Amino acid sequence: MFHVLVTTDANYLPPLKVLMHSLFCHNRRPFRFYLLYSRISEEEIEALGEFVRRQGHELVPIYVDPELFHDAPVFRHYTVEMYYRLAAHLFLPPDVDRVLYLDPDIVAINPMDELYDMDFEGNLFIAAEHTHSTKVANLFNKLRLKTPNAKGYFNTGVMMMNIAMMREHVRLADIYQFIRDNRFKLVLPDQDVLNGLYWDKIKPVDCYRYNYDARYYDFLQLLPNPKHDLAWIEENTVFIHYCGKEKPWKDHYKGELGRFYKRYSQVLELEGEATV
């Protein structure tokens, strides 16, 4: 069975269903989704649970008191729910020792077994850098977060989490203290916390396979002999991540990789499921 963690509010339920549908299309194992939430109605939870059950899978909704991170900074299109993944080990059942966290603005286009079953090698997390966008910012991030020996700056949108080890080593008090000490330096808040506190406990994986940032595809195609064309992505990429403010469910979205989101959303629309 795959254990998958999602944290969101009601606004992201339609794209979350698209993500779930894409996962069902490419994986044979049953899924159990753990939804950490604060601001979703009972009716919406029940409808999402019914959607998952109809496909032969399971949804476990877990309410989180919003006071847990009431003093943590949120801004732009980020919400307090982004912090919940950092405390996932406090809420997941005791028999869960590993979980795959996924942002709701993602689609799967290939099986995820290889990532899910990967050896943590003593690390708390397995995650990817967005290589093309962090090379320039790496020195700045190391100075800002005081992590001179960090291997990189890792994106939290796709993340294998070693829940068994987190129960031993991740303390909310440390997270709160880091936020208090750095609240005016935080740019991508929960991501900064992960990279600032646990930089030496993250195993890196290839972003082009496991966390492809859709914003950079069109730019990369302008380079001579681009390595990752659509055929390569179709064959090799597991997760496409629609980072940033521009989203493929919005009418004005122009990104070429929006085609993958539409592939799965259109099927749901034909089945009468809302995807916007």
Side-chain angles (χ1 to χ4, degrees), residues 109-110 128-133 135 205-213 216-217 219-221 223 227-228 232-240:
I109 64 171
N110 276 301
E129 275 192 281
H130 281 158
T131 310
H132 38 265
S133 60
K135 280 185 179 178
V205 289
D206 182 0
C207 69
Y208 296 108
R209 290 201 64 209
Y210 296 116
N211 192 346
Y212 198 113
D213 186 339
Y216 292 95
Y217 172 80
F219 168 73
L220 292 174
Q221 300 319 296
L223 301 177
K227 176 183 175 184
H228 308 109
W232 188 95
I233 291 171
E234 191 90 52
E235 180 70 23
N236 296 281
T237 296
V238 178
F239 296 114
I240 295 175

PDB file of all heavy atoms in Angstrom, residues 109-110 128-133 135 205-213 216-217 219-221 223 227-228 232-240:
ATOM      1  N   ILE A 109       2.665  11.226 -13.877  1.00  0.00           N
ATOM      2  CA  ILE A 109       2.547  10.742 -15.260  1.00  0.00           C
ATOM      3  C   ILE A 109       3.273   9.406 -15.455  1.00  0.00           C
ATOM      4  O   ILE A 109       3.294   8.893 -16.579  1.00  0.00           O
ATOM      5  CB  ILE A 109       3.038  11.788 -16.284  1.00  0.00           C
ATOM      6  CG1 ILE A 109       4.531  12.079 -16.135  1.00  0.00           C
ATOM      7  CG2 ILE A 109       2.231  13.079 -16.147  1.00  0.00           C
ATOM      8  CD1 ILE A 109       5.076  12.951 -17.288  1.00  0.00           C
ATOM      9  N   ASN A 110       3.842   8.850 -14.387  1.00  0.00           N
ATOM     10  CA  ASN A 110       4.475   7.537 -14.419  1.00  0.00           C
ATOM     11  C   ASN A 110       4.371   6.912 -13.031  1.00  0.00           C
ATOM     12  O   ASN A 110       4.051   7.607 -12.058  1.00  0.00           O
ATOM     13  CB  ASN A 110       5.948   7.661 -14.846  1.00  0.00           C
ATOM     14  CG  ASN A 110       6.117   7.702 -16.364  1.00  0.00           C
ATOM     15  OD1 ASN A 110       5.717   6.779 -17.073  1.00  0.00           O
ATOM     16  ND2 ASN A 110       6.679   8.801 -16.864  1.00  0.00           N
ATOM     17  N   ALA A 128      13.978  16.772  -3.778  1.00  0.00           N
ATOM     18  CA  ALA A 128      14.732  17.248  -4.938  1.00  0.00           C
ATOM     19  C   ALA A 128      14.929  18.756  -4.860  1.00  0.00           C
ATOM     20  O   ALA A 128      14.058  19.487  -4.375  1.00  0.00           O
ATOM     21  CB  ALA A 128      13.994  16.897  -6.235  1.00  0.00           C
ATOM     22  N   GLU A 129      16.075  19.186  -5.339  1.00  0.00           N
ATOM     23  CA  GLU A 129      16.265  20.608  -5.623  1.00  0.00           C
ATOM     24  C   GLU A 129      15.590  20.924  -6.950  1.00  0.00           C
ATOM     25  O   GLU A 129      15.518  20.063  -7.828  1.00  0.00           O
ATOM     26  CB  GLU A 129      17.753  20.916  -5.797  1.00  0.00           C
ATOM     27  CG  GLU A 129      18.531  21.189  -4.575  1.00  0.00           C
ATOM     28  CD  GLU A 129      19.885  21.758  -4.963  1.00  0.00           C
ATOM     29  OE1 GLU A 129      20.761  20.967  -5.345  1.00  0.00           O
ATOM     30  OE2 GLU A 129      20.040  22.987  -4.891  1.00  0.00           O
ATOM     31  N   HIS A 130      15.148  22.149  -7.130  1.00  0.00           N
ATOM     32  CA  HIS A 130      14.808  22.617  -8.476  1.00  0.00           C
ATOM     33  C   HIS A 130      16.090  23.216  -9.048  1.00  0.00           C
ATOM     34  O   HIS A 130      16.321  24.417  -8.979  1.00  0.00           O
ATOM     35  CB  HIS A 130      13.646  23.605  -8.437  1.00  0.00           C
ATOM     36  CG  HIS A 130      12.319  22.930  -8.295  1.00  0.00           C
ATOM     37  ND1 HIS A 130      11.203  23.548  -7.806  1.00  0.00           N
ATOM     38  CD2 HIS A 130      11.940  21.658  -8.594  1.00  0.00           C
ATOM     39  CE1 HIS A 130      10.188  22.688  -7.794  1.00  0.00           C
ATOM     40  NE2 HIS A 130      10.614  21.541  -8.268  1.00  0.00           N
ATOM     41  N   THR A 131      16.910  22.331  -9.608  1.00  0.00           N
ATOM     42  CA  THR A 131      18.292  22.638  -9.954  1.00  0.00           C
ATOM     43  C   THR A 131      18.447  23.912 -10.759  1.00  0.00           C
ATOM     44  O   THR A 131      19.278  24.775 -10.461  1.00  0.00           O
ATOM     45  CB  THR A 131      18.894  21.459 -10.756  1.00  0.00           C
ATOM     46  OG1 THR A 131      18.634  20.245 -10.039  1.00  0.00           O
ATOM     47  CG2 THR A 131      20.385  21.644 -10.937  1.00  0.00           C
ATOM     48  N   HIS A 132      17.623  24.063 -11.789  1.00  0.00           N
ATOM     49  CA  HIS A 132      17.761  25.198 -12.704  1.00  0.00           C
ATOM     50  C   HIS A 132      17.485  26.529 -12.025  1.00  0.00           C
ATOM     51  O   HIS A 132      17.977  27.558 -12.461  1.00  0.00           O
ATOM     52  CB  HIS A 132      16.819  25.014 -13.896  1.00  0.00           C
ATOM     53  CG  HIS A 132      15.511  24.409 -13.505  1.00  0.00           C
ATOM     54  ND1 HIS A 132      15.286  23.057 -13.596  1.00  0.00           N
ATOM     55  CD2 HIS A 132      14.394  24.948 -12.986  1.00  0.00           C
ATOM     56  CE1 HIS A 132      14.055  22.795 -13.170  1.00  0.00           C
ATOM     57  NE2 HIS A 132      13.504  23.915 -12.787  1.00  0.00           N
ATOM     58  N   SER A 133      16.687  26.530 -10.944  1.00  0.00           N
ATOM     59  CA  SER A 133      16.335  27.803 -10.313  1.00  0.00           C
ATOM     60  C   SER A 133      17.109  28.076  -9.026  1.00  0.00           C
ATOM     61  O   SER A 133      17.083  29.189  -8.519  1.00  0.00           O
ATOM     62  CB  SER A 133      14.828  27.849 -10.008  1.00  0.00           C
ATOM     63  OG  SER A 133      14.467  26.805  -9.144  1.00  0.00           O
ATOM     64  N   LYS A 135      20.559  27.201  -8.441  1.00  0.00           N
ATOM     65  CA  LYS A 135      22.012  27.351  -8.545  1.00  0.00           C
ATOM     66  C   LYS A 135      22.453  28.759  -8.167  1.00  0.00           C
ATOM     67  O   LYS A 135      23.380  28.950  -7.395  1.00  0.00           O
ATOM     68  CB  LYS A 135      22.476  27.010  -9.966  1.00  0.00           C
ATOM     69  CG  LYS A 135      22.599  25.519 -10.228  1.00  0.00           C
ATOM     70  CD  LYS A 135      23.161  25.253 -11.601  1.00  0.00           C
ATOM     71  CE  LYS A 135      23.300  23.749 -11.832  1.00  0.00           C
ATOM     72  NZ  LYS A 135      23.796  23.439 -13.177  1.00  0.00           N
ATOM     73  N   VAL A 205      17.319  13.643  -4.722  1.00  0.00           N
ATOM     74  CA  VAL A 205      16.957  12.879  -5.915  1.00  0.00           C
ATOM     75  C   VAL A 205      16.813  13.852  -7.088  1.00  0.00           C
ATOM     76  O   VAL A 205      16.767  15.071  -6.899  1.00  0.00           O
ATOM     77  CB  VAL A 205      15.658  12.060  -5.725  1.00  0.00           C
ATOM     78  CG1 VAL A 205      15.879  10.889  -4.783  1.00  0.00           C
ATOM     79  CG2 VAL A 205      14.514  12.942  -5.239  1.00  0.00           C
ATOM     80  N   ASP A 206      16.729  13.288  -8.284  1.00  0.00           N
ATOM     81  CA  ASP A 206      16.703  14.064  -9.518  1.00  0.00           C
ATOM     82  C   ASP A 206      15.371  14.810  -9.668  1.00  0.00           C
ATOM     83  O   ASP A 206      14.310  14.191  -9.755  1.00  0.00           O
ATOM     84  CB  ASP A 206      16.911  13.111 -10.693  1.00  0.00           C
ATOM     85  CG  ASP A 206      16.948  13.809 -12.051  1.00  0.00           C
ATOM     86  OD1 ASP A 206      16.808  15.043 -12.093  1.00  0.00           O
ATOM     87  OD2 ASP A 206      17.118  13.105 -13.060  1.00  0.00           O
ATOM     88  N   CYS A 207      15.427  16.136  -9.726  1.00  0.00           N
ATOM     89  CA  CYS A 207      14.196  16.927  -9.844  1.00  0.00           C
ATOM     90  C   CYS A 207      13.497  16.692 -11.179  1.00  0.00           C
ATOM     91  O   CYS A 207      12.275  16.778 -11.268  1.00  0.00           O
ATOM     92  CB  CYS A 207      14.487  18.414  -9.657  1.00  0.00           C
ATOM     93  SG  CYS A 207      15.442  19.200 -10.968  1.00  0.00           S
ATOM     94  N   TYR A 208      14.259  16.403 -12.234  1.00  0.00           N
ATOM     95  CA  TYR A 208      13.636  16.221 -13.546  1.00  0.00           C
ATOM     96  C   TYR A 208      12.810  14.948 -13.617  1.00  0.00           C
ATOM     97  O   TYR A 208      11.943  14.810 -14.461  1.00  0.00           O
ATOM     98  CB  TYR A 208      14.700  16.230 -14.643  1.00  0.00           C
ATOM     99  CG  TYR A 208      15.402  17.559 -14.750  1.00  0.00           C
ATOM    100  CD1 TYR A 208      16.712  17.708 -14.324  1.00  0.00           C
ATOM    101  CD2 TYR A 208      14.743  18.681 -15.252  1.00  0.00           C
ATOM    102  CE1 TYR A 208      17.356  18.928 -14.405  1.00  0.00           C
ATOM    103  CE2 TYR A 208      15.374  19.901 -15.340  1.00  0.00           C
ATOM    104  CZ  TYR A 208      16.687  20.029 -14.910  1.00  0.00           C
ATOM    105  OH  TYR A 208      17.319  21.241 -14.986  1.00  0.00           O
ATOM    106  N   ARG A 209      13.088  14.025 -12.713  1.00  0.00           N
ATOM    107  CA  ARG A 209      12.283  12.802 -12.640  1.00  0.00           C
ATOM    108  C   ARG A 209      11.172  12.924 -11.595  1.00  0.00           C
ATOM    109  O   ARG A 209      10.037  12.529 -11.848  1.00  0.00           O
ATOM    110  CB  ARG A 209      13.166  11.596 -12.288  1.00  0.00           C
ATOM    111  CG  ARG A 209      14.117  11.170 -13.401  1.00  0.00           C
ATOM    112  CD  ARG A 209      14.555   9.725 -13.186  1.00  0.00           C
ATOM    113  NE  ARG A 209      13.425   8.825 -13.279  1.00  0.00           N
ATOM    114  CZ  ARG A 209      13.347   7.656 -12.631  1.00  0.00           C
ATOM    115  NH1 ARG A 209      14.325   7.273 -11.830  1.00  0.00           N
ATOM    116  NH2 ARG A 209      12.288   6.884 -12.773  1.00  0.00           N
ATOM    117  N   TYR A 210      11.494  13.472 -10.438  1.00  0.00           N
ATOM    118  CA  TYR A 210      10.572  13.365  -9.315  1.00  0.00           C
ATOM    119  C   TYR A 210       9.884  14.665  -8.909  1.00  0.00           C
ATOM    120  O   TYR A 210       8.980  14.628  -8.081  1.00  0.00           O
ATOM    121  CB  TYR A 210      11.315  12.782  -8.104  1.00  0.00           C
ATOM    122  CG  TYR A 210      11.800  11.369  -8.348  1.00  0.00           C
ATOM    123  CD1 TYR A 210      13.150  11.067  -8.376  1.00  0.00           C
ATOM    124  CD2 TYR A 210      10.888  10.347  -8.581  1.00  0.00           C
ATOM    125  CE1 TYR A 210      13.592   9.768  -8.609  1.00  0.00           C
ATOM    126  CE2 TYR A 210      11.313   9.052  -8.816  1.00  0.00           C
ATOM    127  CZ  TYR A 210      12.664   8.762  -8.830  1.00  0.00           C
ATOM    128  OH  TYR A 210      13.091   7.479  -9.072  1.00  0.00           O
ATOM    129  N   ASN A 211      10.287  15.790  -9.461  1.00  0.00           N
ATOM    130  CA  ASN A 211       9.649  17.053  -9.065  1.00  0.00           C
ATOM    131  C   ASN A 211       9.949  18.085 -10.158  1.00  0.00           C
ATOM    132  O   ASN A 211      10.657  19.063  -9.923  1.00  0.00           O
ATOM    133  CB  ASN A 211      10.190  17.505  -7.704  1.00  0.00           C
ATOM    134  CG  ASN A 211       9.396  18.638  -7.084  1.00  0.00           C
ATOM    135  OD1 ASN A 211       8.588  19.289  -7.753  1.00  0.00           O
ATOM    136  ND2 ASN A 211       9.631  18.905  -5.810  1.00  0.00           N
ATOM    137  N   TYR A 212       9.397  17.851 -11.344  1.00  0.00           N
ATOM    138  CA  TYR A 212       9.699  18.696 -12.504  1.00  0.00           C
ATOM    139  C   TYR A 212       8.917  20.007 -12.393  1.00  0.00           C
ATOM    140  O   TYR A 212       7.695  20.015 -12.442  1.00  0.00           O
ATOM    141  CB  TYR A 212       9.339  17.970 -13.801  1.00  0.00           C
ATOM    142  CG  TYR A 212      10.002  18.570 -15.016  1.00  0.00           C
ATOM    143  CD1 TYR A 212      10.965  17.874 -15.731  1.00  0.00           C
ATOM    144  CD2 TYR A 212       9.681  19.847 -15.451  1.00  0.00           C
ATOM    145  CE1 TYR A 212      11.579  18.434 -16.842  1.00  0.00           C
ATOM    146  CE2 TYR A 212      10.299  20.419 -16.550  1.00  0.00           C
ATOM    147  CZ  TYR A 212      11.243  19.704 -17.238  1.00  0.00           C
ATOM    148  OH  TYR A 212      11.863  20.268 -18.323  1.00  0.00           O
ATOM    149  N   ASP A 213       9.638  21.107 -12.247  1.00  0.00           N
ATOM    150  CA  ASP A 213       9.017  22.425 -12.122  1.00  0.00           C
ATOM    151  C   ASP A 213       8.541  22.885 -13.504  1.00  0.00           C
ATOM    152  O   ASP A 213       9.351  23.215 -14.372  1.00  0.00           O
ATOM    153  CB  ASP A 213      10.039  23.410 -11.555  1.00  0.00           C
ATOM    154  CG  ASP A 213       9.450  24.777 -11.239  1.00  0.00           C
ATOM    155  OD1 ASP A 213       8.386  25.118 -11.797  1.00  0.00           O
ATOM    156  OD2 ASP A 213      10.058  25.515 -10.442  1.00  0.00           O
ATOM    157  N   TYR A 216       9.757  26.027 -15.801  1.00  0.00           N
ATOM    158  CA  TYR A 216      11.036  26.160 -16.497  1.00  0.00           C
ATOM    159  C   TYR A 216      11.126  25.357 -17.781  1.00  0.00           C
ATOM    160  O   TYR A 216      12.123  25.445 -18.488  1.00  0.00           O
ATOM    161  CB  TYR A 216      12.173  25.789 -15.539  1.00  0.00           C
ATOM    162  CG  TYR A 216      12.292  26.805 -14.435  1.00  0.00           C
ATOM    163  CD1 TYR A 216      11.670  26.599 -13.212  1.00  0.00           C
ATOM    164  CD2 TYR A 216      12.957  28.015 -14.639  1.00  0.00           C
ATOM    165  CE1 TYR A 216      11.730  27.551 -12.213  1.00  0.00           C
ATOM    166  CE2 TYR A 216      13.020  28.975 -13.652  1.00  0.00           C
ATOM    167  CZ  TYR A 216      12.410  28.740 -12.436  1.00  0.00           C
ATOM    168  OH  TYR A 216      12.459  29.696 -11.459  1.00  0.00           O
ATOM    169  N   TYR A 217      10.090  24.588 -18.098  1.00  0.00           N
ATOM    170  CA  TYR A 217      10.156  23.776 -19.305  1.00  0.00           C
ATOM    171  C   TYR A 217      10.340  24.636 -20.553  1.00  0.00           C
ATOM    172  O   TYR A 217      11.220  24.387 -21.376  1.00  0.00           O
ATOM    173  CB  TYR A 217       8.899  22.914 -19.452  1.00  0.00           C
ATOM    174  CG  TYR A 217       8.858  22.198 -20.787  1.00  0.00           C
ATOM    175  CD1 TYR A 217       9.599  21.044 -20.991  1.00  0.00           C
ATOM    176  CD2 TYR A 217       8.106  22.703 -21.859  1.00  0.00           C
ATOM    177  CE1 TYR A 217       9.588  20.403 -22.216  1.00  0.00           C
ATOM    178  CE2 TYR A 217       8.099  22.066 -23.077  1.00  0.00           C
ATOM    179  CZ  TYR A 217       8.845  20.917 -23.251  1.00  0.00           C
ATOM    180  OH  TYR A 217       8.842  20.290 -24.483  1.00  0.00           O
ATOM    181  N   PHE A 219      11.471  27.637 -20.947  1.00  0.00           N
ATOM    182  CA  PHE A 219      12.790  28.273 -20.987  1.00  0.00           C
ATOM    183  C   PHE A 219      13.862  27.270 -21.413  1.00  0.00           C
ATOM    184  O   PHE A 219      14.723  27.578 -22.249  1.00  0.00           O
ATOM    185  CB  PHE A 219      13.135  28.846 -19.612  1.00  0.00           C
ATOM    186  CG  PHE A 219      14.578  29.257 -19.470  1.00  0.00           C
ATOM    187  CD1 PHE A 219      15.065  30.397 -20.097  1.00  0.00           C
ATOM    188  CD2 PHE A 219      15.455  28.469 -18.734  1.00  0.00           C
ATOM    189  CE1 PHE A 219      16.406  30.758 -19.982  1.00  0.00           C
ATOM    190  CE2 PHE A 219      16.786  28.823 -18.606  1.00  0.00           C
ATOM    191  CZ  PHE A 219      17.266  29.972 -19.238  1.00  0.00           C
ATOM    192  N   LEU A 220      13.806  26.061 -20.847  1.00  0.00           N
ATOM    193  CA  LEU A 220      14.832  25.068 -21.158  1.00  0.00           C
ATOM    194  C   LEU A 220      14.814  24.662 -22.622  1.00  0.00           C
ATOM    195  O   LEU A 220      15.846  24.289 -23.188  1.00  0.00           O
ATOM    196  CB  LEU A 220      14.651  23.834 -20.267  1.00  0.00           C
ATOM    197  CG  LEU A 220      14.928  24.052 -18.778  1.00  0.00           C
ATOM    198  CD1 LEU A 220      14.575  22.805 -17.982  1.00  0.00           C
ATOM    199  CD2 LEU A 220      16.391  24.415 -18.548  1.00  0.00           C
ATOM    200  N   GLN A 221      13.656  24.757 -23.268  1.00  0.00           N
ATOM    201  CA  GLN A 221      13.581  24.382 -24.684  1.00  0.00           C
ATOM    202  C   GLN A 221      14.299  25.384 -25.580  1.00  0.00           C
ATOM    203  O   GLN A 221      14.580  25.099 -26.756  1.00  0.00           O
ATOM    204  CB  GLN A 221      12.121  24.237 -25.130  1.00  0.00           C
ATOM    205  CG  GLN A 221      11.336  23.185 -24.355  1.00  0.00           C
ATOM    206  CD  GLN A 221      12.119  21.917 -24.084  1.00  0.00           C
ATOM    207  OE1 GLN A 221      12.500  21.204 -25.014  1.00  0.00           O
ATOM    208  NE2 GLN A 221      12.382  21.633 -22.807  1.00  0.00           N
ATOM    209  N   LEU A 223      17.278  26.439 -24.958  1.00  0.00           N
ATOM    210  CA  LEU A 223      18.701  26.127 -24.895  1.00  0.00           C
ATOM    211  C   LEU A 223      19.080  25.164 -26.021  1.00  0.00           C
ATOM    212  O   LEU A 223      18.241  24.393 -26.494  1.00  0.00           O
ATOM    213  CB  LEU A 223      19.039  25.504 -23.543  1.00  0.00           C
ATOM    214  CG  LEU A 223      18.719  26.356 -22.305  1.00  0.00           C
ATOM    215  CD1 LEU A 223      19.047  25.580 -21.033  1.00  0.00           C
ATOM    216  CD2 LEU A 223      19.489  27.674 -22.333  1.00  0.00           C
ATOM    217  N   LYS A 227      17.896  18.700 -22.991  1.00  0.00           N
ATOM    218  CA  LYS A 227      17.901  17.289 -22.591  1.00  0.00           C
ATOM    219  C   LYS A 227      16.483  16.763 -22.381  1.00  0.00           C
ATOM    220  O   LYS A 227      16.185  15.608 -22.669  1.00  0.00           O
ATOM    221  CB  LYS A 227      18.720  17.134 -21.302  1.00  0.00           C
ATOM    222  CG  LYS A 227      18.730  15.727 -20.737  1.00  0.00           C
ATOM    223  CD  LYS A 227      19.502  15.683 -19.422  1.00  0.00           C
ATOM    224  CE  LYS A 227      19.418  14.300 -18.790  1.00  0.00           C
ATOM    225  NZ  LYS A 227      20.084  14.252 -17.473  1.00  0.00           N
ATOM    226  N   HIS A 228      15.623  17.627 -21.859  1.00  0.00           N
ATOM    227  CA  HIS A 228      14.312  17.147 -21.404  1.00  0.00           C
ATOM    228  C   HIS A 228      13.203  17.678 -22.309  1.00  0.00           C
ATOM    229  O   HIS A 228      12.546  18.658 -21.986  1.00  0.00           O
ATOM    230  CB  HIS A 228      14.070  17.561 -19.957  1.00  0.00           C
ATOM    231  CG  HIS A 228      15.181  17.177 -19.034  1.00  0.00           C
ATOM    232  ND1 HIS A 228      16.035  18.095 -18.471  1.00  0.00           N
ATOM    233  CD2 HIS A 228      15.599  15.975 -18.611  1.00  0.00           C
ATOM    234  CE1 HIS A 228      16.917  17.469 -17.724  1.00  0.00           C
ATOM    235  NE2 HIS A 228      16.685  16.184 -17.792  1.00  0.00           N
ATOM    236  N   TRP A 232      11.029  12.864 -23.572  1.00  0.00           N
ATOM    237  CA  TRP A 232      11.816  12.445 -22.406  1.00  0.00           C
ATOM    238  C   TRP A 232      10.961  12.509 -21.140  1.00  0.00           C
ATOM    239  O   TRP A 232      10.977  11.586 -20.315  1.00  0.00           O
ATOM    240  CB  TRP A 232      13.047  13.337 -22.245  1.00  0.00           C
ATOM    241  CG  TRP A 232      14.001  12.864 -21.186  1.00  0.00           C
ATOM    242  CD1 TRP A 232      15.107  12.082 -21.349  1.00  0.00           C
ATOM    243  CD2 TRP A 232      13.911  13.123 -19.778  1.00  0.00           C
ATOM    244  NE1 TRP A 232      15.710  11.835 -20.141  1.00  0.00           N
ATOM    245  CE2 TRP A 232      14.997  12.459 -19.150  1.00  0.00           C
ATOM    246  CE3 TRP A 232      13.021  13.836 -18.981  1.00  0.00           C
ATOM    247  CZ2 TRP A 232      15.224  12.502 -17.776  1.00  0.00           C
ATOM    248  CZ3 TRP A 232      13.230  13.880 -17.602  1.00  0.00           C
ATOM    249  CH2 TRP A 232      14.315  13.219 -17.013  1.00  0.00           C
ATOM    250  N   ILE A 233      10.212  13.601 -20.989  1.00  0.00           N
ATOM    251  CA  ILE A 233       9.357  13.775 -19.811  1.00  0.00           C
ATOM    252  C   ILE A 233       8.300  12.672 -19.752  1.00  0.00           C
ATOM    253  O   ILE A 233       8.083  12.057 -18.699  1.00  0.00           O
ATOM    254  CB  ILE A 233       8.702  15.168 -19.832  1.00  0.00           C
ATOM    255  CG1 ILE A 233       9.764  16.245 -19.594  1.00  0.00           C
ATOM    256  CG2 ILE A 233       7.585  15.272 -18.788  1.00  0.00           C
ATOM    257  CD1 ILE A 233       9.271  17.653 -19.813  1.00  0.00           C
ATOM    258  N   GLU A 234       7.673  12.392 -20.871  1.00  0.00           N
ATOM    259  CA  GLU A 234       6.633  11.362 -20.937  1.00  0.00           C
ATOM    260  C   GLU A 234       7.181  10.004 -20.494  1.00  0.00           C
ATOM    261  O   GLU A 234       6.495   9.224 -19.838  1.00  0.00           O
ATOM    262  CB  GLU A 234       6.100  11.271 -22.364  1.00  0.00           C
ATOM    263  CG  GLU A 234       4.850  10.440 -22.524  1.00  0.00           C
ATOM    264  CD  GLU A 234       3.571  11.240 -22.362  1.00  0.00           C
ATOM    265  OE1 GLU A 234       3.426  12.282 -23.026  1.00  0.00           O
ATOM    266  OE2 GLU A 234       2.723  10.802 -21.573  1.00  0.00           O
ATOM    267  N   GLU A 235       8.425   9.744 -20.812  1.00  0.00           N
ATOM    268  CA  GLU A 235       9.041   8.442 -20.525  1.00  0.00           C
ATOM    269  C   GLU A 235       9.628   8.367 -19.117  1.00  0.00           C
ATOM    270  O   GLU A 235       9.596   7.307 -18.475  1.00  0.00           O
ATOM    271  CB  GLU A 235      10.150   8.172 -21.547  1.00  0.00           C
ATOM    272  CG  GLU A 235      10.877   6.851 -21.370  1.00  0.00           C
ATOM    273  CD  GLU A 235      10.013   5.647 -21.718  1.00  0.00           C
ATOM    274  OE1 GLU A 235       9.045   5.810 -22.492  1.00  0.00           O
ATOM    275  OE2 GLU A 235      10.308   4.545 -21.214  1.00  0.00           O
ATOM    276  N   ASN A 236      10.163   9.473 -18.603  1.00  0.00           N
ATOM    277  CA  ASN A 236      11.005   9.425 -17.408  1.00  0.00           C
ATOM    278  C   ASN A 236      10.475  10.146 -16.178  1.00  0.00           C
ATOM    279  O   ASN A 236      10.823   9.782 -15.052  1.00  0.00           O
ATOM    280  CB  ASN A 236      12.391  10.004 -17.727  1.00  0.00           C
ATOM    281  CG  ASN A 236      13.133   9.183 -18.753  1.00  0.00           C
ATOM    282  OD1 ASN A 236      13.693   8.146 -18.437  1.00  0.00           O
ATOM    283  ND2 ASN A 236      13.134   9.653 -20.006  1.00  0.00           N
ATOM    284  N   THR A 237       9.693  11.202 -16.365  1.00  0.00           N
ATOM    285  CA  THR A 237       9.258  12.016 -15.230  1.00  0.00           C
ATOM    286  C   THR A 237       8.115  11.326 -14.496  1.00  0.00           C
ATOM    287  O   THR A 237       7.202  10.777 -15.116  1.00  0.00           O
ATOM    288  CB  THR A 237       8.834  13.415 -15.708  1.00  0.00           C
ATOM    289  OG1 THR A 237       9.982  14.074 -16.255  1.00  0.00           O
ATOM    290  CG2 THR A 237       8.283  14.249 -14.572  1.00  0.00           C
ATOM    291  N   VAL A 238       8.158  11.380 -13.175  1.00  0.00           N
ATOM    292  CA  VAL A 238       7.084  10.820 -12.358  1.00  0.00           C
ATOM    293  C   VAL A 238       6.093  11.907 -11.961  1.00  0.00           C
ATOM    294  O   VAL A 238       4.886  11.754 -12.126  1.00  0.00           O
ATOM    295  CB  VAL A 238       7.659  10.128 -11.106  1.00  0.00           C
ATOM    296  CG1 VAL A 238       6.525   9.589 -10.223  1.00  0.00           C
ATOM    297  CG2 VAL A 238       8.601   8.999 -11.506  1.00  0.00           C
ATOM    298  N   PHE A 239       6.604  13.051 -11.456  1.00  0.00           N
ATOM    299  CA  PHE A 239       5.722  14.116 -10.991  1.00  0.00           C
ATOM    300  C   PHE A 239       6.046  15.434 -11.685  1.00  0.00           C
ATOM    301  O   PHE A 239       7.209  15.856 -11.721  1.00  0.00           O
ATOM    302  CB  PHE A 239       5.859  14.321  -9.481  1.00  0.00           C
ATOM    303  CG  PHE A 239       5.429  13.142  -8.665  1.00  0.00           C
ATOM    304  CD1 PHE A 239       6.347  12.431  -7.903  1.00  0.00           C
ATOM    305  CD2 PHE A 239       4.105  12.726  -8.659  1.00  0.00           C
ATOM    306  CE1 PHE A 239       5.959  11.337  -7.147  1.00  0.00           C
ATOM    307  CE2 PHE A 239       3.703  11.635  -7.912  1.00  0.00           C
ATOM    308  CZ  PHE A 239       4.628  10.929  -7.152  1.00  0.00           C
ATOM    309  N   ILE A 240       5.016  16.076 -12.215  1.00  0.00           N
ATOM    310  CA  ILE A 240       5.129  17.443 -12.728  1.00  0.00           C
ATOM    311  C   ILE A 240       4.479  18.370 -11.704  1.00  0.00           C
ATOM    312  O   ILE A 240       3.343  18.152 -11.275  1.00  0.00           O
ATOM    313  CB  ILE A 240       4.458  17.592 -14.098  1.00  0.00           C
ATOM    314  CG1 ILE A 240       5.204  16.737 -15.123  1.00  0.00           C
ATOM    315  CG2 ILE A 240       4.441  19.053 -14.541  1.00  0.00           C
ATOM    316  CD1 ILE A 240       4.561  16.721 -16.491  1.00  0.00           C
TER     317      ILE A 240
END
